[in-house]
Amino acid sequence: MKYHPGAIMIALISVTLSSYFVAAILFPDTGAKIVAGFQGEGAVVMWIALVALMLAVAFYVKTNKTLIDRVLTGRASTKEISDSFLTIGFFKKKD
């Protein structure tokens, strides 16, 4: 199923901006510390953590591709979505 590229870009920008504003409001000093962490002595550890996080997201997307398709088309229930976050995709039973 194809999705409109403009809608996907709007969703990505929305998620990025909203997470930035939530982090800026709740943790105002954290943003400066994160930027300094990517440039300081512990930069290698921060970059490794960022890559590990990206791999975890990619693994989640790969294991839940059908669920993501159902969410984007509006056919998924809230129980399906919450169950996907509460269980590890690798150990799910295949129907």
Side-chain angles (χ1 to χ4, degrees):
M1 178 164 292
K2 289 217 166 222
Y3 306 108
H4 193 276
I8 292 174
M9 289 306 297
I10 290 171
L12 289 173
I13 291 170
S14 174
V15 166
T16 304
L17 289 176
S18 62
S19 62
Y20 170 76
F21 284 120
V22 167
I25 291 169
L26 295 177
F27 311 105
D29 297 333
T30 304
K33 290 178 184 175
I34 290 173
V35 171
F38 278 107
Q39 297 172 351
E41 294 176 5
V44 173
V45 174
M46 291 294 285
W47 285 107
I48 291 173
L50 181 64
V51 168
L53 178 67
M54 291 171 69
L55 288 173
V57 169
F59 181 73
Y60 177 80
V61 168
K62 183 176 180 185
T63 58
N64 293 302
K65 190 180 278 188
T66 57
L67 176 67
I68 292 170
D69 183 45
R70 291 175 53 84
V71 168
L72 289 175
T73 57
R75 295 180 287 139
S77 68
T78 54
K79 181 166 178 20
E80 286 178 301
I81 297 168
S82 64
D83 287 346
S84 75
F85 285 112
L86 297 176
T87 59
I88 299 173
F90 185 74
F91 296 107
K92 281 189 205 175
K93 291 181 182 177
K94 301 290 182 188
D95 292 332

